[in-house]
Amino acid sequence: MNYSPSCCPLKVCPAGHYPFFLCSGAANVVGPKICFNNRIIMSGGQNHIGWGVNTVIVDGEFILSYSAYSTIISLLLLDFLKMIQKRNIVLVASYEDPAVQLTDEVRELFAGMGSSMVYSVKYRDSWVFAGAGGRNKESPFEKIVNDKKTNAYGDWPEMGELSGCFPRKV
């Protein structure tokens, strides 16, 4: 992982919080980016981003696991999400079409991590989310982008960007 002070732009977090920055992919051309605590964890040239749901699991300052799941291996996403422990921080940035992988069971797991929008993710949406295992209450860190009236790329939405300060104790 590369340290980059610009990875979490314009974020000075209070004590007891981690800065993060999430950026979904754009169309099927520009890949997503996931940064945590001023480190690039996944990006276009690093750590194998892929179409679908790119997910990172963090335990405090330690990156436990990261993975990109293409539509071909969506069953592995379910297994990956089941490993998430209470208070593990979960960071998500979509690329191309995340909806294909979001089965009812996968959506339910994300909802249990604090996602209030996961049931609304549709074809080609740009979705970014930060939550935690066992959260069971709504996370303030989530965004879906896709408005056919304003999409710059036809059916493809703009990048969804989200940054903030995630509490160290969830």
Side-chain angles (χ1 to χ4, degrees):
M1 285 163 283
N2 295 334
Y3 175 77
S4 172
S6 65
C7 189
C8 298
L10 306 174
K11 279 293 167 201
V12 176
C13 292
H17 289 76
Y18 297 107
F20 72 90
F21 175 73
L22 307 172
C23 185
S24 70
N28 59 353
V29 179
V30 179
K33 182 177 183 179
I34 298 177
C35 297
F36 183 78
N37 203 21
N38 294 315
R39 289 187 179 98
I40 300 170
I41 300 169
M42 296 178 92
S43 69
Q46 186 171 336
N47 294 334
H48 308 291
I49 59 159
W51 287 7
V53 180
N54 293 274
T55 308
V56 172
I57 304 172
V58 181
D59 180 14
E61 294 186 29
F62 301 101
I63 310 307
L64 295 179
S65 191
Y66 55 85
S67 196
Y69 289 102
S70 72
T71 56
I72 298 167
I73 53 175
S74 60
L75 290 177
L76 294 178
L77 175 60
L78 180 62
D79 292 338
F80 182 78
L81 295 176
K82 286 181 177 179
M83 341 185 300
I84 295 171
Q85 309 269 321
K86 265 190 166 180
R87 293 185 288 283
N88 286 160
I89 297 168
V90 180
L91 308 166
V92 176
S94 70
Y95 185 27
E96 209 269 323
D97 183 16
V100 173
Q101 298 168 291
L102 296 175
T103 63
D104 290 343
E105 193 172 4
V106 167
R107 289 177 194 262
E108 187 175 310
L109 288 171
F110 277 122
M113 296 174 212
S115 174
S116 62
M117 298 179 182
V118 70
Y119 293 107
S120 301
V121 177
K122 295 180 180 70
Y123 180 66
R124 289 192 176 160
D125 283 351
S126 291
W127 176 50
V128 287
F129 166 69
R135 185 171 176 94
N136 292 320
K137 68 177 186 175
E138 189 175 315
S139 171
F141 306 116
E142 187 169 27
K143 184 177 187 179
I144 295 175
V145 177
N146 195 349
D147 184 346
K148 293 188 191 286
K149 296 175 196 163
T150 59
N151 283 349
Y153 313 105
D155 286 344
W156 299 98
E158 298 282 344
M159 289 181 187
E161 292 187 0
L162 183 65
S163 63
C165 298
F166 204 92
R168 289 179 189 248
K169 295 193 182 207
V170 181

